[in-house]
Amino acid sequence: MSRRTKASKRITPPDSVYNSRLISMLIRRVMSRGKHSVASHIVYKALDTIGERTGNPPLEVFDRAIRNATPLVEVKARRVGGATYQVPMEVRTDRGVALALRWLVQYSRSRAGRSMVTKLANELMDAANETGQTIRKREETHKMAEANKAFAHYRY
C-alpha cells in the first residue's frame, strides 16, 4: 500500500430492485465464489419472506436491523511500552455498517435451518427486534469497550 496517497473509497452502486446501496452491500457479503446471481436470489427471497411474515415493508425491517446491529464503539489493540492494551475507539459509520453486515451474514450462516434464505430472513428479523446472535455480538463489543474505558487515554 502506498504511503504517499490515500486509497480512494469506491462507491457501491445501488441494487436494481430496491435501489439501495445497503442491499447491494449485503448481496456482496452473501456472495461466495463470484456467484452474484445466486447471492442476489438469496437476499431478495429473504426480503420477500420478511415482507410476508411481518407485514411491514422489507426495506424498513432491513434498515432497522442494520441500525440495531451497528456498533458505536470497539476496542483496538495498542502497544505501549511493551504492554498491549485494548483501547476503546469510536467506530466510523461506514465501518460500523460493514461490521453489522458481516455479522449478519456470519451468524445467519451458522444458524440451524434448511436454506440460506430462511436463515438470513430469521437473522434479519431477529436483529430488527433487538434479539439474536448479531445483537449479542454488538452488545459484547460495547461491554468490552466499557470494561477497557480506563485505557481510553492511549487513543491514537
Side-chain angles (χ1 to χ4, degrees), residues 62-96:
F62 176 69
D63 286 339
R64 193 172 50 214
I66 294 294
R67 215 171 342 162
N68 291 345
T70 303
L72 302 174
V73 288
E74 67 178 345
V75 291
K76 286 196 174 183
R78 174 100 165 100
R79 264 183 84 77
V80 177
T84 305
Y85 298 107
Q86 297 290 324
V87 181
M89 310 276 281
E90 287 185 14
V91 180
R92 294 187 326 271
T93 54
D94 55 341
R95 174 159 169 78

PDB file of all heavy atoms in Angstrom, residues 62-96:
ATOM      1  N   PHE A  62     -35.177  -4.231   7.176  1.00  0.00           N
ATOM      2  CA  PHE A  62     -33.745  -4.376   6.908  1.00  0.00           C
ATOM      3  C   PHE A  62     -32.962  -3.186   7.457  1.00  0.00           C
ATOM      4  O   PHE A  62     -31.926  -3.371   8.115  1.00  0.00           O
ATOM      5  CB  PHE A  62     -33.521  -4.523   5.401  1.00  0.00           C
ATOM      6  CG  PHE A  62     -32.074  -4.580   5.005  1.00  0.00           C
ATOM      7  CD1 PHE A  62     -31.294  -5.666   5.327  1.00  0.00           C
ATOM      8  CD2 PHE A  62     -31.496  -3.532   4.308  1.00  0.00           C
ATOM      9  CE1 PHE A  62     -29.956  -5.717   4.970  1.00  0.00           C
ATOM     10  CE2 PHE A  62     -30.168  -3.573   3.942  1.00  0.00           C
ATOM     11  CZ  PHE A  62     -29.398  -4.660   4.279  1.00  0.00           C
ATOM     12  N   ASP A  63     -33.446  -1.970   7.214  1.00  0.00           N
ATOM     13  CA  ASP A  63     -32.761  -0.780   7.729  1.00  0.00           C
ATOM     14  C   ASP A  63     -32.724  -0.769   9.255  1.00  0.00           C
ATOM     15  O   ASP A  63     -31.710  -0.401   9.855  1.00  0.00           O
ATOM     16  CB  ASP A  63     -33.447   0.497   7.230  1.00  0.00           C
ATOM     17  CG  ASP A  63     -33.149   0.775   5.763  1.00  0.00           C
ATOM     18  OD1 ASP A  63     -32.146   0.244   5.253  1.00  0.00           O
ATOM     19  OD2 ASP A  63     -33.930   1.523   5.130  1.00  0.00           O
ATOM     20  N   ARG A  64     -33.827  -1.173   9.881  1.00  0.00           N
ATOM     21  CA  ARG A  64     -33.878  -1.225  11.342  1.00  0.00           C
ATOM     22  C   ARG A  64     -32.888  -2.265  11.870  1.00  0.00           C
ATOM     23  O   ARG A  64     -32.222  -2.038  12.880  1.00  0.00           O
ATOM     24  CB  ARG A  64     -35.293  -1.528  11.808  1.00  0.00           C
ATOM     25  CG  ARG A  64     -35.496  -1.288  13.285  1.00  0.00           C
ATOM     26  CD  ARG A  64     -36.934  -1.406  13.686  1.00  0.00           C
ATOM     27  NE  ARG A  64     -37.487  -2.649  13.168  1.00  0.00           N
ATOM     28  CZ  ARG A  64     -38.742  -2.807  12.751  1.00  0.00           C
ATOM     29  NH1 ARG A  64     -39.583  -1.826  12.799  1.00  0.00           N
ATOM     30  NH2 ARG A  64     -39.154  -3.971  12.297  1.00  0.00           N
ATOM     31  N   ALA A  65     -32.776  -3.405  11.158  1.00  0.00           N
ATOM     32  CA  ALA A  65     -31.833  -4.451  11.566  1.00  0.00           C
ATOM     33  C   ALA A  65     -30.401  -3.945  11.486  1.00  0.00           C
ATOM     34  O   ALA A  65     -29.595  -4.174  12.406  1.00  0.00           O
ATOM     35  CB  ALA A  65     -32.008  -5.692  10.688  1.00  0.00           C
ATOM     36  N   ILE A  66     -30.072  -3.235  10.416  1.00  0.00           N
ATOM     37  CA  ILE A  66     -28.716  -2.694  10.259  1.00  0.00           C
ATOM     38  C   ILE A  66     -28.437  -1.661  11.349  1.00  0.00           C
ATOM     39  O   ILE A  66     -27.370  -1.644  11.962  1.00  0.00           O
ATOM     40  CB  ILE A  66     -28.535  -2.075   8.861  1.00  0.00           C
ATOM     41  CG1 ILE A  66     -28.605  -3.142   7.780  1.00  0.00           C
ATOM     42  CG2 ILE A  66     -27.210  -1.325   8.764  1.00  0.00           C
ATOM     43  CD1 ILE A  66     -27.483  -4.132   7.795  1.00  0.00           C
ATOM     44  N   ARG A  67     -29.415  -0.782  11.603  1.00  0.00           N
ATOM     45  CA  ARG A  67     -29.236   0.250  12.632  1.00  0.00           C
ATOM     46  C   ARG A  67     -29.033  -0.383  14.006  1.00  0.00           C
ATOM     47  O   ARG A  67     -28.193   0.071  14.791  1.00  0.00           O
ATOM     48  CB  ARG A  67     -30.451   1.164  12.662  1.00  0.00           C
ATOM     49  CG  ARG A  67     -30.121   2.595  12.982  1.00  0.00           C
ATOM     50  CD  ARG A  67     -31.289   3.488  12.799  1.00  0.00           C
ATOM     51  NE  ARG A  67     -32.185   2.746  11.978  1.00  0.00           N
ATOM     52  CZ  ARG A  67     -33.474   2.888  11.747  1.00  0.00           C
ATOM     53  NH1 ARG A  67     -34.052   3.738  12.199  1.00  0.00           N
ATOM     54  NH2 ARG A  67     -34.240   2.167  11.020  1.00  0.00           N
ATOM     55  N   ASN A  68     -29.784  -1.434  14.317  1.00  0.00           N
ATOM     56  CA  ASN A  68     -29.656  -2.094  15.617  1.00  0.00           C
ATOM     57  C   ASN A  68     -28.343  -2.853  15.750  1.00  0.00           C
ATOM     58  O   ASN A  68     -27.817  -2.991  16.852  1.00  0.00           O
ATOM     59  CB  ASN A  68     -30.817  -3.059  15.845  1.00  0.00           C
ATOM     60  CG  ASN A  68     -32.125  -2.345  16.039  1.00  0.00           C
ATOM     61  OD1 ASN A  68     -32.158  -1.148  16.281  1.00  0.00           O
ATOM     62  ND2 ASN A  68     -33.210  -3.080  15.916  1.00  0.00           N
ATOM     63  N   ALA A  69     -27.830  -3.382  14.643  1.00  0.00           N
ATOM     64  CA  ALA A  69     -26.624  -4.213  14.695  1.00  0.00           C
ATOM     65  C   ALA A  69     -25.331  -3.411  14.593  1.00  0.00           C
ATOM     66  O   ALA A  69     -24.251  -3.944  14.841  1.00  0.00           O
ATOM     67  CB  ALA A  69     -26.662  -5.255  13.578  1.00  0.00           C
ATOM     68  N   THR A  70     -25.411  -2.134  14.234  1.00  0.00           N
ATOM     69  CA  THR A  70     -24.214  -1.321  14.045  1.00  0.00           C
ATOM     70  C   THR A  70     -23.598  -0.946  15.388  1.00  0.00           C
ATOM     71  O   THR A  70     -24.257  -0.334  16.219  1.00  0.00           O
ATOM     72  CB  THR A  70     -24.555  -0.041  13.268  1.00  0.00           C
ATOM     73  OG1 THR A  70     -25.141  -0.411  12.021  1.00  0.00           O
ATOM     74  CG2 THR A  70     -23.314   0.794  13.004  1.00  0.00           C
ATOM     75  N   PRO A  71     -22.316  -1.302  15.608  1.00  0.00           N
ATOM     76  CA  PRO A  71     -21.670  -0.942  16.867  1.00  0.00           C
ATOM     77  C   PRO A  71     -21.252   0.529  16.876  1.00  0.00           C
ATOM     78  O   PRO A  71     -20.943   1.102  15.830  1.00  0.00           O
ATOM     79  CB  PRO A  71     -20.444  -1.863  16.903  1.00  0.00           C
ATOM     80  CG  PRO A  71     -20.130  -2.112  15.472  1.00  0.00           C
ATOM     81  CD  PRO A  71     -21.448  -2.107  14.745  1.00  0.00           C
ATOM     82  N   LEU A  72     -21.238   1.119  18.057  1.00  0.00           N
ATOM     83  CA  LEU A  72     -20.823   2.516  18.201  1.00  0.00           C
ATOM     84  C   LEU A  72     -19.374   2.639  18.648  1.00  0.00           C
ATOM     85  O   LEU A  72     -18.686   3.588  18.288  1.00  0.00           O
ATOM     86  CB  LEU A  72     -21.735   3.228  19.202  1.00  0.00           C
ATOM     87  CG  LEU A  72     -23.217   3.211  18.856  1.00  0.00           C
ATOM     88  CD1 LEU A  72     -24.041   3.800  19.987  1.00  0.00           C
ATOM     89  CD2 LEU A  72     -23.458   3.959  17.562  1.00  0.00           C
ATOM     90  N   VAL A  73     -18.915   1.683  19.472  1.00  0.00           N
ATOM     91  CA  VAL A  73     -17.527   1.665  19.937  1.00  0.00           C
ATOM     92  C   VAL A  73     -16.972   0.253  19.792  1.00  0.00           C
ATOM     93  O   VAL A  73     -17.719  -0.728  19.800  1.00  0.00           O
ATOM     94  CB  VAL A  73     -17.392   2.118  21.413  1.00  0.00           C
ATOM     95  CG1 VAL A  73     -17.624   3.589  21.548  1.00  0.00           C
ATOM     96  CG2 VAL A  73     -18.302   1.336  22.306  1.00  0.00           C
ATOM     97  N   GLU A  74     -15.662   0.171  19.655  1.00  0.00           N
ATOM     98  CA  GLU A  74     -14.985  -1.118  19.607  1.00  0.00           C
ATOM     99  C   GLU A  74     -13.626  -0.956  20.269  1.00  0.00           C
ATOM    100  O   GLU A  74     -13.202   0.172  20.537  1.00  0.00           O
ATOM    101  CB  GLU A  74     -14.821  -1.611  18.161  1.00  0.00           C
ATOM    102  CG  GLU A  74     -13.880  -0.774  17.323  1.00  0.00           C
ATOM    103  CD  GLU A  74     -13.695  -1.288  15.910  1.00  0.00           C
ATOM    104  OE1 GLU A  74     -14.058  -2.436  15.634  1.00  0.00           O
ATOM    105  OE2 GLU A  74     -13.167  -0.530  15.090  1.00  0.00           O
ATOM    106  N   VAL A  75     -12.953  -2.064  20.524  1.00  0.00           N
ATOM    107  CA  VAL A  75     -11.614  -1.978  21.103  1.00  0.00           C
ATOM    108  C   VAL A  75     -10.580  -2.323  20.038  1.00  0.00           C
ATOM    109  O   VAL A  75     -10.809  -3.182  19.187  1.00  0.00           O
ATOM    110  CB  VAL A  75     -11.454  -2.915  22.325  1.00  0.00           C
ATOM    111  CG1 VAL A  75     -12.274  -2.432  23.480  1.00  0.00           C
ATOM    112  CG2 VAL A  75     -11.786  -4.342  21.992  1.00  0.00           C
ATOM    113  N   LYS A  76      -9.466  -1.610  20.100  1.00  0.00           N
ATOM    114  CA  LYS A  76      -8.347  -1.888  19.201  1.00  0.00           C
ATOM    115  C   LYS A  76      -7.104  -2.099  20.052  1.00  0.00           C
ATOM    116  O   LYS A  76      -6.910  -1.414  21.065  1.00  0.00           O
ATOM    117  CB  LYS A  76      -8.113  -0.713  18.252  1.00  0.00           C
ATOM    118  CG  LYS A  76      -9.151  -0.622  17.172  1.00  0.00           C
ATOM    119  CD  LYS A  76      -8.676   0.273  16.062  1.00  0.00           C
ATOM    120  CE  LYS A  76      -9.667   0.219  14.924  1.00  0.00           C
ATOM    121  NZ  LYS A  76      -9.252   1.005  13.793  1.00  0.00           N
ATOM    122  N   ALA A  77      -6.275  -3.030  19.654  1.00  0.00           N
ATOM    123  CA  ALA A  77      -5.047  -3.320  20.387  1.00  0.00           C
ATOM    124  C   ALA A  77      -4.031  -2.206  20.123  1.00  0.00           C
ATOM    125  O   ALA A  77      -3.827  -1.799  18.975  1.00  0.00           O
ATOM    126  CB  ALA A  77      -4.488  -4.661  19.955  1.00  0.00           C
ATOM    127  N   ARG A  78      -3.418  -1.723  21.199  1.00  0.00           N
ATOM    128  CA  ARG A  78      -2.422  -0.653  21.091  1.00  0.00           C
ATOM    129  C   ARG A  78      -1.254  -1.021  21.985  1.00  0.00           C
ATOM    130  O   ARG A  78      -1.429  -1.255  23.184  1.00  0.00           O
ATOM    131  CB  ARG A  78      -3.063   0.658  21.548  1.00  0.00           C
ATOM    132  CG  ARG A  78      -2.143   1.836  21.636  1.00  0.00           C
ATOM    133  CD  ARG A  78      -2.286   2.716  20.419  1.00  0.00           C
ATOM    134  NE  ARG A  78      -1.686   4.017  20.659  1.00  0.00           N
ATOM    135  CZ  ARG A  78      -0.479   4.348  20.222  1.00  0.00           C
ATOM    136  NH1 ARG A  78       0.252   3.477  19.577  1.00  0.00           N
ATOM    137  NH2 ARG A  78       0.000   5.549  20.452  1.00  0.00           N
ATOM    138  N   ARG A  79      -0.039  -1.076  21.391  1.00  0.00           N
ATOM    139  CA  ARG A  79       1.152  -1.416  22.166  1.00  0.00           C
ATOM    140  C   ARG A  79       1.764  -0.163  22.757  1.00  0.00           C
ATOM    141  O   ARG A  79       2.104   0.771  22.037  1.00  0.00           O
ATOM    142  CB  ARG A  79       2.173  -2.101  21.275  1.00  0.00           C
ATOM    143  CG  ARG A  79       2.106  -3.602  21.369  1.00  0.00           C
ATOM    144  CD  ARG A  79       3.177  -4.245  20.539  1.00  0.00           C
ATOM    145  NE  ARG A  79       4.456  -4.359  21.204  1.00  0.00           N
ATOM    146  CZ  ARG A  79       4.755  -5.260  22.120  1.00  0.00           C
ATOM    147  NH1 ARG A  79       3.844  -6.110  22.512  1.00  0.00           N
ATOM    148  NH2 ARG A  79       5.948  -5.300  22.649  1.00  0.00           N
ATOM    149  N   VAL A  80       1.923  -0.170  24.078  1.00  0.00           N
ATOM    150  CA  VAL A  80       2.549   0.955  24.769  1.00  0.00           C
ATOM    151  C   VAL A  80       3.576   0.385  25.739  1.00  0.00           C
ATOM    152  O   VAL A  80       3.215  -0.315  26.683  1.00  0.00           O
ATOM    153  CB  VAL A  80       1.506   1.806  25.546  1.00  0.00           C
ATOM    154  CG1 VAL A  80       2.196   2.929  26.308  1.00  0.00           C
ATOM    155  CG2 VAL A  80       0.466   2.359  24.608  1.00  0.00           C
ATOM    156  N   GLY A  81       4.837   0.661  25.467  1.00  0.00           N
ATOM    157  CA  GLY A  81       5.906   0.255  26.386  1.00  0.00           C
ATOM    158  C   GLY A  81       5.969  -1.227  26.657  1.00  0.00           C
ATOM    159  O   GLY A  81       6.140  -1.635  27.800  1.00  0.00           O
ATOM    160  N   GLY A  82       5.791  -2.046  25.651  1.00  0.00           N
ATOM    161  CA  GLY A  82       5.900  -3.487  25.811  1.00  0.00           C
ATOM    162  C   GLY A  82       4.625  -4.167  26.245  1.00  0.00           C
ATOM    163  O   GLY A  82       4.544  -5.391  26.252  1.00  0.00           O
ATOM    164  N   ALA A  83       3.622  -3.406  26.613  1.00  0.00           N
ATOM    165  CA  ALA A  83       2.331  -3.989  27.008  1.00  0.00           C
ATOM    166  C   ALA A  83       1.295  -3.667  25.937  1.00  0.00           C
ATOM    167  O   ALA A  83       1.333  -2.611  25.313  1.00  0.00           O
ATOM    168  CB  ALA A  83       1.880  -3.416  28.340  1.00  0.00           C
ATOM    169  N   THR A  84       0.375  -4.584  25.730  1.00  0.00           N
ATOM    170  CA  THR A  84      -0.693  -4.376  24.756  1.00  0.00           C
ATOM    171  C   THR A  84      -1.977  -4.069  25.509  1.00  0.00           C
ATOM    172  O   THR A  84      -2.398  -4.830  26.376  1.00  0.00           O
ATOM    173  CB  THR A  84      -0.888  -5.642  23.893  1.00  0.00           C
ATOM    174  OG1 THR A  84       0.361  -5.978  23.297  1.00  0.00           O
ATOM    175  CG2 THR A  84      -1.906  -5.389  22.799  1.00  0.00           C
ATOM    176  N   TYR A  85      -2.587  -2.934  25.165  1.00  0.00           N
ATOM    177  CA  TYR A  85      -3.834  -2.510  25.801  1.00  0.00           C
ATOM    178  C   TYR A  85      -4.967  -2.563  24.800  1.00  0.00           C
ATOM    179  O   TYR A  85      -4.769  -2.262  23.619  1.00  0.00           O
ATOM    180  CB  TYR A  85      -3.712  -1.073  26.338  1.00  0.00           C
ATOM    181  CG  TYR A  85      -2.661  -0.913  27.407  1.00  0.00           C
ATOM    182  CD1 TYR A  85      -1.465  -0.267  27.125  1.00  0.00           C
ATOM    183  CD2 TYR A  85      -2.865  -1.405  28.682  1.00  0.00           C
ATOM    184  CE1 TYR A  85      -0.504  -0.116  28.104  1.00  0.00           C
ATOM    185  CE2 TYR A  85      -1.907  -1.255  29.677  1.00  0.00           C
ATOM    186  CZ  TYR A  85      -0.726  -0.607  29.371  1.00  0.00           C
ATOM    187  OH  TYR A  85       0.235  -0.467  30.344  1.00  0.00           O
ATOM    188  N   GLN A  86      -6.137  -2.937  25.263  1.00  0.00           N
ATOM    189  CA  GLN A  86      -7.339  -2.884  24.449  1.00  0.00           C
ATOM    190  C   GLN A  86      -7.943  -1.489  24.637  1.00  0.00           C
ATOM    191  O   GLN A  86      -8.537  -1.197  25.667  1.00  0.00           O
ATOM    192  CB  GLN A  86      -8.336  -3.956  24.892  1.00  0.00           C
ATOM    193  CG  GLN A  86      -7.842  -5.370  24.717  1.00  0.00           C
ATOM    194  CD  GLN A  86      -7.757  -5.759  23.255  1.00  0.00           C
ATOM    195  OE1 GLN A  86      -8.584  -5.353  22.450  1.00  0.00           O
ATOM    196  NE2 GLN A  86      -6.761  -6.545  22.912  1.00  0.00           N
ATOM    197  N   VAL A  87      -7.768  -0.643  23.644  1.00  0.00           N
ATOM    198  CA  VAL A  87      -8.179   0.748  23.759  1.00  0.00           C
ATOM    199  C   VAL A  87      -9.534   0.936  23.074  1.00  0.00           C
ATOM    200  O   VAL A  87      -9.689   0.582  21.903  1.00  0.00           O
ATOM    201  CB  VAL A  87      -7.130   1.677  23.097  1.00  0.00           C
ATOM    202  CG1 VAL A  87      -7.540   3.132  23.220  1.00  0.00           C
ATOM    203  CG2 VAL A  87      -5.769   1.450  23.712  1.00  0.00           C
ATOM    204  N   PRO A  88     -10.532   1.468  23.789  1.00  0.00           N
ATOM    205  CA  PRO A  88     -11.831   1.713  23.138  1.00  0.00           C
ATOM    206  C   PRO A  88     -11.754   2.873  22.156  1.00  0.00           C
ATOM    207  O   PRO A  88     -11.165   3.908  22.460  1.00  0.00           O
ATOM    208  CB  PRO A  88     -12.754   2.038  24.314  1.00  0.00           C
ATOM    209  CG  PRO A  88     -11.871   2.442  25.420  1.00  0.00           C
ATOM    210  CD  PRO A  88     -10.550   1.800  25.210  1.00  0.00           C
ATOM    211  N   MET A  89     -12.329   2.663  20.979  1.00  0.00           N
ATOM    212  CA  MET A  89     -12.341   3.679  19.922  1.00  0.00           C
ATOM    213  C   MET A  89     -13.754   3.784  19.371  1.00  0.00           C
ATOM    214  O   MET A  89     -14.469   2.780  19.299  1.00  0.00           O
ATOM    215  CB  MET A  89     -11.417   3.284  18.769  1.00  0.00           C
ATOM    216  CG  MET A  89     -10.032   2.863  19.157  1.00  0.00           C
ATOM    217  SD  MET A  89      -8.923   4.205  19.385  1.00  0.00           S
ATOM    218  CE  MET A  89      -8.494   4.613  17.742  1.00  0.00           C
ATOM    219  N   GLU A  90     -14.135   4.980  18.951  1.00  0.00           N
ATOM    220  CA  GLU A  90     -15.420   5.146  18.285  1.00  0.00           C
ATOM    221  C   GLU A  90     -15.322   4.555  16.882  1.00  0.00           C
ATOM    222  O   GLU A  90     -14.286   4.643  16.237  1.00  0.00           O
ATOM    223  CB  GLU A  90     -15.806   6.616  18.207  1.00  0.00           C
ATOM    224  CG  GLU A  90     -16.224   7.183  19.543  1.00  0.00           C
ATOM    225  CD  GLU A  90     -16.712   8.609  19.422  1.00  0.00           C
ATOM    226  OE1 GLU A  90     -16.969   9.073  18.292  1.00  0.00           O
ATOM    227  OE2 GLU A  90     -16.826   9.252  20.474  1.00  0.00           O
ATOM    228  N   VAL A  91     -16.421   3.980  16.419  1.00  0.00           N
ATOM    229  CA  VAL A  91     -16.456   3.337  15.106  1.00  0.00           C
ATOM    230  C   VAL A  91     -17.002   4.337  14.089  1.00  0.00           C
ATOM    231  O   VAL A  91     -18.036   4.964  14.331  1.00  0.00           O
ATOM    232  CB  VAL A  91     -17.351   2.078  15.149  1.00  0.00           C
ATOM    233  CG1 VAL A  91     -17.406   1.404  13.793  1.00  0.00           C
ATOM    234  CG2 VAL A  91     -16.836   1.105  16.183  1.00  0.00           C
ATOM    235  N   ARG A  92     -16.291   4.487  12.962  1.00  0.00           N
ATOM    236  CA  ARG A  92     -16.810   5.324  11.875  1.00  0.00           C
ATOM    237  C   ARG A  92     -18.070   4.682  11.312  1.00  0.00           C
ATOM    238  O   ARG A  92     -18.242   3.459  11.394  1.00  0.00           O
ATOM    239  CB  ARG A  92     -15.773   5.458  10.756  1.00  0.00           C
ATOM    240  CG  ARG A  92     -14.535   6.204  11.161  1.00  0.00           C
ATOM    241  CD  ARG A  92     -13.613   6.459   9.970  1.00  0.00           C
ATOM    242  NE  ARG A  92     -13.619   5.401   8.962  1.00  0.00           N
ATOM    243  CZ  ARG A  92     -12.811   4.348   8.974  1.00  0.00           C
ATOM    244  NH1 ARG A  92     -11.934   4.182   9.935  1.00  0.00           N
ATOM    245  NH2 ARG A  92     -12.875   3.448   8.006  1.00  0.00           N
ATOM    246  N   THR A  93     -18.936   5.468  10.721  1.00  0.00           N
ATOM    247  CA  THR A  93     -20.233   4.939  10.273  1.00  0.00           C
ATOM    248  C   THR A  93     -20.071   3.874   9.197  1.00  0.00           C
ATOM    249  O   THR A  93     -20.750   2.848   9.234  1.00  0.00           O
ATOM    250  CB  THR A  93     -21.130   6.068   9.743  1.00  0.00           C
ATOM    251  OG1 THR A  93     -20.425   6.797   8.741  1.00  0.00           O
ATOM    252  CG2 THR A  93     -21.563   6.987  10.852  1.00  0.00           C
ATOM    253  N   ASP A  94     -19.170   4.090   8.245  1.00  0.00           N
ATOM    254  CA  ASP A  94     -19.007   3.101   7.171  1.00  0.00           C
ATOM    255  C   ASP A  94     -18.441   1.788   7.709  1.00  0.00           C
ATOM    256  O   ASP A  94     -18.849   0.708   7.298  1.00  0.00           O
ATOM    257  CB  ASP A  94     -18.151   3.649   6.025  1.00  0.00           C
ATOM    258  CG  ASP A  94     -16.795   4.159   6.489  1.00  0.00           C
ATOM    259  OD1 ASP A  94     -16.638   4.437   7.693  1.00  0.00           O
ATOM    260  OD2 ASP A  94     -15.883   4.282   5.635  1.00  0.00           O
ATOM    261  N   ARG A  95     -17.525   1.865   8.669  1.00  0.00           N
ATOM    262  CA  ARG A  95     -17.002   0.639   9.281  1.00  0.00           C
ATOM    263  C   ARG A  95     -18.067  -0.046  10.125  1.00  0.00           C
ATOM    264  O   ARG A  95     -18.164  -1.273  10.150  1.00  0.00           O
ATOM    265  CB  ARG A  95     -15.775   0.949  10.143  1.00  0.00           C
ATOM    266  CG  ARG A  95     -15.277  -0.266  10.908  1.00  0.00           C
ATOM    267  CD  ARG A  95     -13.847  -0.152  11.339  1.00  0.00           C
ATOM    268  NE  ARG A  95     -13.496  -1.206  12.270  1.00  0.00           N
ATOM    269  CZ  ARG A  95     -13.233  -2.469  11.923  1.00  0.00           C
ATOM    270  NH1 ARG A  95     -13.300  -2.829  10.664  1.00  0.00           N
ATOM    271  NH2 ARG A  95     -12.918  -3.372  12.829  1.00  0.00           N
ATOM    272  N   GLY A  96     -18.880   0.734  10.822  1.00  0.00           N
ATOM    273  CA  GLY A  96     -19.952   0.162  11.633  1.00  0.00           C
ATOM    274  C   GLY A  96     -20.949  -0.607  10.791  1.00  0.00           C
ATOM    275  O   GLY A  96     -21.368  -1.710  11.151  1.00  0.00           O
TER     276      GLY A  96
END
